[in-house]
Amino acid sequence: AQSVTQPDIHITVSEGASLELRCNYSYGATPYLFWYVQSPGQGLQLLLKYFSGDTLVQGIKGFEAEFKRSQSSFNLRKPSVHWSDAAEYFCAVGALNNNDMRFGAGTRLTVKP
Amino acid sequence: DTAVSQTPKYLVTQMGNDKSIKCEQNLGHDTMYWYKQDSKKFLKIMFSYNNKELIINETVPNRFSPKSPDKAHLNLHINSLELGDSAVYFCASSPRVGAGGELFFGEGSRLTVL
């Protein structure tokens, strides 16, 4: 089965600074990759997804992510972080032949004024 | 017009009780899920249904029993509640089976077992 690792439990950045959240996956075939965001007390919202094609994908709220097959990574980036971006971020991997969506442990983002 | 709705949003109950959480989606999706999120925010899949048929049943105690009366509903019943069942339970739906389709989540049901 597929699996996901998010190496950073907690990241703090200053407002206006750039952001990169790391995600590594394990899966034998072409993965379907996702980033979700969870604000406090809320459900998860999809930021962006990669299925195939261009390895740099754009999402909502100014986020982008790059799929690198050679590194088994799908890192999330944003050039300039806003205070409202403070939340928990989850990377997830799905597969072609099953319903199984696996999530990483999440990275909590704190934004300093 | 909520896409995936769960009720109740909060549940506080005593050990040994039985409780249910209901989930409904109005997106026309075929696939529905239950996930458990623990206090460390870790999300673990519990069950997945496709068109009322159980597809995924992770290693979950048999005190947990999902029921899907139709493809728009997936309920979760928990018998003999234990302290370790305290968590946030998320329902989700997906438009595609077998294609890693994105999930649409409800807002969660926070269960506290005293």
Side-chain angles (χ1 to χ4, degrees), chain A:
Chain A
Q2 58 270 33
S3 66
V4 176
T5 303
Q6 291 180 248
D8 305 306
I9 295 173
H10 185 202
I11 283 184
T12 300
V13 300
S14 298
E15 190 166 16
S18 63
L19 171 70
E20 182 167 29
L21 302 182
R22 296 184 292 164
C23 172
N24 293 97
Y25 69 90
S26 173
Y27 184 56
T30 301
Y32 294 82
L33 295 161
F34 307 83
W35 275 99
Y36 288 85
V37 61
Q38 184 181 26
S39 298
Q42 300 293 314
L44 281 74
Q45 180 187 19
L46 181 72
L47 282 177
L48 47 77
K49 60 188 177 188
Y50 170 78
F51 280 3
S52 64
D54 193 347
T55 56
L56 184 64
V57 292
Q58 303 297 321
I60 62 171
K61 306 186 184 191
F63 285 92
E64 66 177 28
E66 187 170 12
F67 170 57
K68 292 186 177 179
R69 185 186 297 276
S70 61
Q71 297 176 19
S72 298
S73 70
F74 189 56
N75 294 349
L76 182 72
R77 299 194 293 249
K78 185 167 184 177
S80 176
V81 167
H82 188 261
W83 64 265
S84 61
D85 293 324
E88 192 88 22
Y89 290 81
F90 293 92
C91 184
V93 59
L96 176 64
N97 295 321
N98 62 54
N99 277 13
D100 200 350
M101 177 85 79
R102 297 284 168 157
F103 285 81
T107 298
R108 183 160 61 98
L109 174 65
T110 298
V111 180
K112 290 191 305 187

Side-chain angles (χ1 to χ4, degrees), chain B:
Chain B
D1 204 18
T2 307
V4 182
S5 58
Q6 299 178 225
T7 53
K9 194 163 181 177
Y10 298 97
L11 270 167
V12 180
T13 189
Q14 301 285 335
M15 275 175 53
N17 284 351
D18 304 339
K19 287 294 176 189
S20 292
I21 307 172
K22 295 187 175 182
C23 178
E24 176 181 5
Q25 54 97 0
N26 62 8
L27 297 167
H29 292 168
D30 285 337
T31 309
M32 295 185 73
Y33 304 77
W34 279 110
Y35 280 84
K36 179 181 179 181
Q37 186 174 49
D38 63 23
S39 58
K40 290 184 167 44
K41 300 288 188 184
F42 183 67
L43 268 167
K44 186 176 182 330
I45 191 168
M46 299 174 70
F47 302 103
S48 170
Y49 271 73
N50 183 57
N51 231 340
K52 304 194 297 173
E53 183 185 346
L54 181 63
I55 300 295
I56 293 174
N57 183 354
E58 287 290 294
T59 310
V60 176
N62 58 15
R63 299 181 294 103
F64 290 79
S65 51
K67 275 197 173 46
S68 182
D70 55 61
K71 75 173 193 177
H73 295 84
L74 180 61
N75 304 324
L76 183 66
H77 188 75
I78 317 170
N79 291 326
S80 305
L81 279 156
E82 299 178 359
L83 292 177
D85 297 332
S86 295
V88 181
Y89 293 84
F90 284 100
C91 178
S93 71
S94 177
R96 286 183 290 278
V97 60
E102 68 181 88
L103 299 181
F104 293 76
F105 283 85
E107 292 194 341
S109 297
R110 180 176 293 276
L111 171 65
T112 303
V113 182
L114 303 174

